[in-house]
Amino acid sequence: MIKALLQLTSLQSFLLFLFLIFTRTHKISNYFLAAFALIVSILCFFRSMEDVSFYIQYPHLMRVEWGMLLLLWPLVYLFVKYFLSLSPNIDSKDVIHFVPYAVNLIILLPFFLQNAESKIQMINHYTPFITQGFYGYNVYFKVLSIVVGIQSLVYTSMIMGTVKSHKASIEQLFSDTSRFGASWFYIIVYGMVGLSMLYIMSLSLNATSLFLEDYLWLFFLGLFLMIVFLSYRSFYQPFYSQTIPAMVGIPVENLAVKSTYAESGISEMAIQKLASELTHIFENEKRYLKADLNVAELSESIGAPRQYLSQVLSQHFHKSFYDYVNDYRVKEFKSRLSSGKYSHLTLIGLAFECGFNSKSSFNSVFKKSTGITPSAFAATVKKS
């Protein structure tokens, strides 16, 4: 059963690899995800062939897959980084992510250079880790497994930080972020967290087990689920293809949100004036009712640079553009629902009238702002 699942995962991963290689959108990020799929395919193939007869027949394939786990988490990190990045070129510094695997190859090189007879003699017939062999390489295999576990935690944290940073950036620019597809990145983050936990748990079980059973199949089951998800997203729900600059006309060099505004040049009096103007516009003109309102459009209409507008929102209101606009939408929703004049609309219908553009976004924003769900608030209004 496990062998069949491994072979299925290997085949599915290879098909995903081919699909991503020939997909035109997001070329750079696709290459990293394709490499991830190819590595998974290779790992699952070798895992499904883990028996003495296979390595006696093909001794030069022994230990070829050793260390490939060192590539999985860095490749997913680089995929996320370049998919969310506006840069069309690969940063040469990113080669550092592959240094651990290169070191692994150097350590294994003396073994790879041995002849077939020598390799066959090193096969251990009495352990499920058939290609571990004896002597120093047996110790190295255990050290390598621990290094992979530590690396998985480090890169999972890096992936999570990259996604959160991207989310914070687009919330400084847009009042509706649902069309950017960032939410599915959190599934990748949770998936990589799950893979890390499964790998570390497998190592712990293998180390403490009194039997010769190999618990690493739990990790490969997680890989199977990850590949199924990525295949579904790639084949049936393509990733968003428009970049932020193309959607709102903001030059690439102006997209970075400043973390400090000390050198912006705007005075405290100007901040107060712009804050008052924003409040007036939102409370009287109700700009927030426009579902696709973005910071570039708003800054142009009030004649203030986008950087000043972001600074006012951050320093005076202590909110991102996303939170500022959606807080007004929540207030509008609560006001209209309480008035009783919109009883002919469903809750989501009323939410759309107030500027929201998706059910999931509305529910998330409303609960964050009020602490309760829209239906719970509606029930309270109905009772009163």
Side-chain angles (χ1 to χ4, degrees), residues 55-315:
Y55 288 106
I56 289 178
Q57 186 175 0
Y58 303 103
H60 289 299
L61 293 180
M62 285 176 60
R63 299 179 183 163
V64 168
E65 82 283 12
W66 275 28
M68 283 190 177
L69 285 173
L70 290 168
L71 297 174
L72 289 187
W73 282 269
L75 285 171
V76 173
Y77 165 72
L78 291 172
F79 160 69
V80 171
K81 174 184 175 180
Y82 283 99
F83 189 88
L84 298 179
S85 173
L86 298 171
S87 173
N89 301 313
I90 296 179
D91 187 350
S92 59
K93 294 179 181 178
D94 283 330
V95 71
I96 195 173
H97 299 290
F98 304 104
V99 169
Y101 180 67
V103 172
N104 165 76
L105 291 179
I106 293 172
I107 294 173
L108 292 175
L109 186 60
F111 174 79
F112 290 148
L113 295 177
Q114 293 184 39
N115 56 43
E117 291 75 15
S118 298
K119 292 179 180 179
I120 291 174
Q121 291 175 7
M122 297 179 70
I123 294 179
N124 186 345
H125 293 256
Y126 303 101
T127 171
F129 298 105
I130 290 182
T131 61
Q132 282 190 39
F134 303 103
Y135 311 113
Y137 281 117
N138 194 20
V139 176
Y140 174 67
F141 184 85
K142 294 177 181 178
V143 173
L144 178 63
S145 299
I146 295 173
V147 171
V148 170
I150 295 172
Q151 185 209 49
S152 70
L153 296 176
V154 172
Y155 273 93
T156 297
S157 177
M158 291 170 63
I159 293 169
M160 187 178 299
T162 301
V163 173
K164 286 185 176 180
S165 177
H166 172 75
K167 184 174 182 291
S169 295
I170 62 175
E171 285 184 355
Q172 293 284 1
L173 300 171
F174 302 97
S175 62
D176 172 34
T177 61
S178 59
R179 56 183 172 165
F180 295 104
S183 59
W184 76 267
F185 276 98
Y186 282 98
I187 300 179
I188 289 184
V189 171
Y190 299 144
M192 297 313 290
V193 170
L195 285 177
S196 298
M197 293 300 101
L198 285 173
Y199 184 78
I200 293 172
M201 182 176 68
S202 299
L203 291 184
S204 301
L205 290 173
N206 285 338
T208 58
S209 176
L210 298 177
F211 306 97
L212 293 177
E213 183 176 356
D214 178 14
Y215 290 94
L216 205 58
W217 67 267
L218 294 169
F219 169 73
F220 282 93
L221 176 61
L223 275 182
F224 167 73
L225 296 176
M226 174 66 84
I227 288 298
V228 168
F229 167 74
L230 290 175
S231 299
Y232 174 74
R233 285 294 314 191
S234 301
F235 297 151
Y236 302 110
Q237 292 187 348
F239 311 132
Y240 66 84
S241 57
Q242 286 184 295
T243 61
I244 293 176
M247 298 183 79
V248 298
I250 301 175
V252 173
E253 62 272 13
N254 294 333
L255 277 171
V257 178
K258 293 184 178 180
S259 58
T260 175
Y261 301 98
E263 300 179 358
S264 66
I266 185 173
S267 65
E268 183 63 31
M269 184 178 295
I271 289 177
Q272 295 292 337
K273 181 179 179 181
L274 187 54
S276 298
E277 185 175 355
L278 272 176
T279 302
H280 174 79
I281 288 176
F282 273 76
E283 291 186 352
N284 293 277
E285 298 181 16
K286 298 188 176 183
R287 296 284 184 89
Y288 52 85
L289 295 180
K290 189 175 186 295
D292 58 349
L293 181 68
N294 62 70
V295 72
E297 178 184 338
L298 183 60
S299 63
E300 183 179 356
S301 66
I302 64 178
R306 184 183 67 83
Q307 289 79 1
Y308 288 2
L309 189 58
S310 296
Q311 182 175 351
V312 169
L313 291 170
S314 176
Q315 291 186 348

Side-chain angles (χ1 to χ4, degrees), residues 305-368:
R306 184 183 67 83
Q307 289 79 1
Y308 288 2
L309 189 58
S310 296
Q311 182 175 351
V312 169
L313 291 170
S314 176
Q315 291 186 348
H316 185 83
F317 295 105
H318 306 290
K319 296 178 181 180
S320 65
F321 178 74
Y322 177 85
D323 288 334
Y324 182 77
V325 175
N326 283 300
D327 280 351
Y328 270 101
R329 289 171 176 168
V330 169
K331 291 177 183 177
E332 183 73 17
F333 175 86
K334 291 166 67 178
S335 175
R336 292 191 182 192
L337 186 64
S338 300
S339 71
K341 297 179 181 179
Y342 299 87
S343 57
H344 60 289
L345 294 176
T346 62
L347 293 182
I348 191 61
L350 181 57
F352 286 167
E353 289 285 321
C354 296
F356 289 100
N357 206 27
S358 74
K359 183 178 179 179
S360 59
S361 176
F362 165 61
N363 289 332
S364 175
V365 168
F366 191 91
K367 189 167 185 179
K368 178 182 177 182

